[in-house]
Amino acid sequence: MQLNDLYKDIILDHYESPHNRGRPPHADIEAEGSNPLCGDDVEVYVVLDGERLKEVRFDGAGCAISLAAASMMSEVLEGKTKDEVKEIGDLFKAMMHGEDVALPEEMEDLEALKGVAHFPLRVKCALLAWTTLEHGLANQDAGRRVSIEVD
Amino acid sequence: MQLNDLYKDIILDHYESPHNRGRPPHADIEAEGSNPLCGDDVEVYVVLDGERLKEVRFDGAGCAISLAAASMMSEVLEGKTKDEVKEIGDLFKAMMHGEDVALPEEMEDLEALKGVAHFPLRVKCALLAWTTLEHGLANQDAGRRVSIEVD
Amino acid sequence: MQNGFDVQAVRQDFPILDVQVHGKPLVYLDSAATSQKPQAVIDSLVDYYTRYNANVHRGIYTLSEQATAAYEDARAKVARFINAPSPECIIFVRNTTEAINLVRFAWGFDNVGANDEILISEMEHHSNLVPWQLLAQDRGAELRYLRVNNEGRLMLDGLDVLITERTRLIAVSHVSNVLGTINPVKGIVKRGHKFGSLVLVDAAQSVPHMPVDVQEMDCDFLAFSGHKMMGPTGVGVLYAKPHLLEAMRPFMGGGSMIRKVMLSESTWADAPQKFEAGTPNIADVIALGAAVDYLNELGMDDVREHELSLTQYALDALREVTGLRMFGPWEPQTRGGVVSFVLDGVHPHDIAQILDSEAIAIRAGHHCCQPLMRRYNVAATARASFYAYNTEEEVDALIDGIHKAQRVFGHAVERSL
Amino acid sequence: MQNGFDVQAVRQDFPILDVQVHGKPLVYLDSAATSQKPQAVIDSLVDYYTRYNANVHRGIYTLSEQATAAYEDARAKVARFINAPSPECIIFVRNTTEAINLVRFAWGFDNVGANDEILISEMEHHSNLVPWQLLAQDRGAELRYLRVNNEGRLMLDGLDVLITERTRLIAVSHVSNVLGTINPVKGIVKRGHKFGSLVLVDAAQSVPHMPVDVQEMDCDFLAFSGHKMMGPTGVGVLYAKPHLLEAMRPFMGGGSMIRKVMLSESTWADAPQKFEAGTPNIADVIALGAAVDYLNELGMDDVREHELSLTQYALDALREVTGLRMFGPWEPQTRGGVVSFVLDGVHPHDIAQILDSEAIAIRAGHHCCQPLMRRYNVAATARASFYAYNTEEEVDALIDGIHKAQRVFGHAVERSL
Ligand SMILES: Cc1ncc(COP(=O)(O)O)c(C=O)c1O
Ligand SMILES: Cc1ncc(COP(=O)(O)O)c(C=O)c1O
């Protein structure tokens, strides 16, 4: 396993200059996820437009993998419907578990995280933002910020 | 270590035909000792004549070593003063712990148990009756049967 | 040999069987106390310590990843071995004793209260008796006993009155370590469940010797020891149904079993980690996985068959020994390869001592079953126990040794006959 | 090398140090998590399993006598190693965590009541924190914390107000596994005793690395792990003063810890057996004895000297790394060979990952010290730790690796500077 498989330039770019970072003035969904064992914390904010995720933003602290994954996620999911989000999320999880999946073309950025599957201990870093988003969507009706701990 | 070192004829003789076995009609000291881990149980009875042990008897159930040791003890201690009993007991214990001791001539029967010192697990068998007697003497004033557990 | 099972080939795998004791080849008949280990298990330990020793879980470096993978792989192997629904219901502990005490502390304190009842049997090993005695004392509960008949079987008729609505737990051994009796645990589980009681099975003497399927048995807890199944000392297993593990409080507190620790309170990791505080016995857990591999290669059906035929052979021979009293059932089909006996005129300790002079290792004593000894009115018994590597020739040696003991104690034997 | 201590010769004794990771020679800097094992320890295991494996205590045959003698011999070795007054105050457990939990259950339940106080420090490992949190919750007692200053030292001034007449136990680590700080335990013991409190010392990071004398320290309990002192995984030690062991109730119930078992109640064996229920981890206890022999041969003073000079060397180098923040004292004389740090712009997990690509094994995370992480306002640190087999060249490799991490994360580092 090469280090370059993990720390691809595109991942380092996202880590160094994250996209969609920061809390929006208003959000329909607010979810925070933490991995107490890593100390990683991520917050995910979604502005909805009906079934569609009009805006996805995140904030938090963590390693390169977890923050780059959050940044990439926020990009690829913008404008997608909830059903599409579920579909993409399942694909992404399958990829993280080492399955050979075909990602839609406009999501090839996510491909950069494929190498993470070879580093079992880092998979949970890559999944943190996704799990947090999922949890937020599932509890959309809660009417408040929800939180989840994973490890 | 030879088996004969342990099961000397004289030991087997005492086991098969124990001396002074059985409860006397009256005893000044009654003590029972048990090793719950072996299941061995021995009762020691002493009839006193002032400072002297006029009669020493025993009863119980146990392995060849513990019963032969009880039988031999009852023989050698008959007629001895308490001080002498203590002295002989100390010598016997030292012998059981592998020390090279010189036993008084009339006690050479006890020598037969010398080999037990080479079988650490059986030493406590050889000591059971002696420990029980000691406990009985120490609690002479209790005015009742005393008991002790050893292991 | 018998049943297409090549015991001589098996023996080649156990280096200790070449040992000489007092200049004579070792005849090891004490596997119920602890089994011998095949080369594969020893190699597993050496391999671990020379190639990838590292602490498991969350070490982000290669050795630690390898150790973690091997450790969790062993968990999966053990789960498959007893057909557990998932690796997560396998908790690694030190031995059967700790497994049972874990249930006492982590389940018992919350689920057994004043006037509740715990039902165990008179044939239980102290490890499946003392913990429940202590729990009953701590919680003001009642400890009840299922009795054993003269033949060495549980008096199951008694169950009807002994199990009540207040029974919270039935704890019973699968195979007795003294009598050899195989208890009908599946039926006991069913009857316990009907009354809403949980059932713990002490499988220390079954998992090493016969196929065991926890889902078929439907027990709630199952405990066994690695060292009795060709694995190393220091590792045992608790199986529990997943929903029970989820509901149970932790046992020991410390590293690895937590999720989040704050100054005043903490939250717990999920099972199995919740119950594995501190650095686990990594090397031995992995070696237990190697033992499971080895047993699978032998085939547990064949292991059972071999022991069955050896036990039959031993019982036939023991039946002919004058002045010998055997405890437990005479039908090998209903028992494991553990044979306990006493001899008229020769104390069990003296039997064991004389057998040792012939390099034959058997156990003598109460076998951690004092109440059962009292039931049969003996202070101790001699016990020979068999495993996959034992032979009929070794049984012959045992019988010869018994005769020798009788010769040494000639007069005593005669007197007592 | 330094101090007449020949580290190259020592390295020859550790077969794992020949391992290659990603084609590069292993640089193992995670001994605080678990140490590597010398050949003598591995040989001890093989020797046991191939020559005299048998269950200990009361087996009347040669193998069992040999195993028992070796097992008890290891106890005597461990007792001498920490200058315990007698072997009987050494209890073998699985690890430090179990040792501390044993005190929680067997001493704590009878001696800590409502409104009593337990005092621990903010730098405790979860294994010396969570058990006391749980005990405090179970008994309605109060858990108090001694704080840590910016330099990584206990704020001992606080002791005066924190210790009261209600303090039943002070539990404190001898050496911090994150900060490296050597705590002045002898003084803490003295002050605790003045108030009638007992003192438990978590010596997981001291006994392996420096001479420890329990009689001089006068602590009531001391806990440590075999696997951190060149011994195998799966064995740990609790030392306790004899009169405490005598008064304490048993922990786990089962075989070996009893004297007499009746249906409704039982009596207990004396310590140490009272606290060693079930078949112990025989092979690993004996191998821990071999580890103690090995450490004695190296000489604990020399081990300490070697680590001291290595730590000095490492601190000097780390001080030069831009953007590196080190936790704990800068004076090697007051600390063990454990060095924790964070880098600006590179997360500890990423540091460890990049070091692994150079075959350098360090740990990253909270090191089972979440409260301490919060104290320093970090989520995790990277940690390198040294032992007798580490060299200055390995420290150089560590520093190179850190530079590499900074290069990989070049932009991030720049941005954060
Ligand atoms: C200071 C300290 N205490 C306790 C422990 C726990 O040791 P173990 O995991 O062997 O129980 C450790 C090691 O991780 C430690 O460093
Ligand atoms: C039936 C039974 N239960 C429990 C035990 C205890 O096993 P361990 O000593 O490995 O805890 C044994 C073995 O001695 C046993 O035979």
Side-chain angles (χ1 to χ4, degrees), chain A residues 12-44:
Chain A
L12 293 174
D13 285 349
H14 272 277
Y15 175 58
E16 286 155 22
S17 325
H19 305 190
N20 302 313
R21 184 161 184 167
R23 185 179 183 158
H26 153 84
D28 297 297
I29 293 173
E30 295 192 14
E32 58 185 40
S34 66
N35 181 332
L37 294 171
C38 284
D40 286 2
D41 271 309
V42 70
E43 295 146 38
V44 176

Side-chain angles (χ1 to χ4, degrees), chain C residues 55 255-256 277-280, chain D residues 32-33 94-98 100 123-128 173-178 202-205 223-228 235 367-369 383:
Chain C
N55 214 324
S256 305
T279 303
Chain D
R94 181 173 34 249
N95 48 27
T96 303
T97 305
E98 187 183 7
I100 295 171
M123 65 165 78
E124 297 314 310
H125 188 282
H126 293 161
S127 291
N128 197 28
S173 47
H174 192 182
V175 174
S176 160
N177 65 309
V178 171
D202 173 354
Q205 298 295 346
F224 55 101
S225 295
H227 70 93
K228 293 186 201 280
V235 53
H367 316 293
C368 298
C369 287
R383 182 189 74 183

Side-chain angles (χ1 to χ4, degrees), chain A residues 4 11 13 21 38 43 64-65 71-72 75-76 93 104 110 129:
Chain A
N4 299 346
I11 292 181
D13 285 349
R21 184 161 184 167
C38 284
E43 295 146 38
I65 306 301
S71 172
M72 290 173 172
E75 272 200 335
V76 301
K93 271 185 261 178
L110 286 186

Side-chain angles (χ1 to χ4, degrees), chain B residues 11-21 58 71, chain C residues 411 415:
Chain B
I11 292 180
L12 293 174
D13 284 348
H14 273 277
Y15 176 57
E16 285 154 23
S17 324
H19 305 190
N20 303 314
R21 182 159 186 169
F58 82 100
S71 172
Chain C
H411 297 278
R415 229 181 32 150

Side-chain angles (χ1 to χ4, degrees), chain C residues 108-316:
Chain C
F109 271 75
D110 292 328
N111 291 283
V112 177
N115 302 318
D116 282 346
E117 295 158 12
I118 302 166
L119 178 60
I120 68 174
S121 92
E122 218 176 11
M123 66 165 77
E124 295 315 309
H125 188 282
H126 294 160
S127 291
N128 196 28
L129 188 165
V130 177
W132 309 124
Q133 212 173 60
L134 289 168
L135 180 65
Q137 285 166 8
D138 280 338
R139 308 299 297 164
E142 188 190 338
L143 184 61
R144 297 183 158 205
Y145 285 89
L146 184 58
R147 302 290 163 168
V148 179
N149 70 14
N150 289 337
E151 207 197 339
R153 296 190 198 282
L154 294 178
M155 294 169 73
L156 290 170
D157 289 352
L159 270 185
D160 284 339
V161 286
L162 285 168
I163 309 186
T164 75
E165 247 90 53
R166 301 225 60 130
T167 310
R168 293 287 162 266
L169 182 73
I170 303 173
V172 66
S173 48
H174 193 182
V175 173
S176 160
N177 66 310
V178 172
L179 307 167
T181 321
I182 302 177
N183 292 317
V185 282
K186 196 177 161 182
I188 296 173
V189 168
K190 206 175 245 166
R191 288 168 78 173
H193 285 175
K194 206 151 66 188
F195 281 81
S197 171
L198 299 190
V199 181
L200 176 146
V201 173
D202 173 353
Q205 298 295 344
S206 62
V207 166
H209 299 284
M210 56 192 69
V212 168
D213 180 332
V214 289
Q215 295 193 69
E216 206 235 322
M217 196 187 279
D218 200 28
C219 57
D220 300 287
F221 301 106
L222 185 106
F224 55 101
S225 295
H227 70 92
K228 293 187 200 280
M229 54 189 284
M230 306 193 179
T233 56
V235 53
V237 174
L238 174 68
Y239 156 81
K241 286 185 178 164
H243 72 277
L244 293 171
L245 289 177
E246 201 184 311
M248 276 154 66
R249 64 159 89 173
F251 176 25
M252 303 197 203
S256 305
M257 54 71 74
I258 56 91
R259 178 164 287 145
K260 195 164 186 168
V261 175
M262 281 146 305
L263 291 183
S264 61
E265 56 177 12
S266 303
T267 58
W268 317 126
D270 294 331
Q273 274 73 36
K274 179 163 65 168
F275 302 103
E276 294 184 1
T279 303
N281 189 347
I282 308 166
D284 290 335
V285 163
I286 295 171
L288 175 59
V292 165
D293 287 343
Y294 183 81
L295 285 170
N296 281 332
E297 265 168 53
L298 293 186
M300 288 310 291
D301 283 318
D302 286 359
V303 168
R304 170 68 184 142
E305 270 308 304
H306 174 73
E307 291 179 26
L308 199 61
S309 96
L310 212 54
T311 306
Q312 175 77 69
Y313 184 84
L315 291 175
D316 288 346

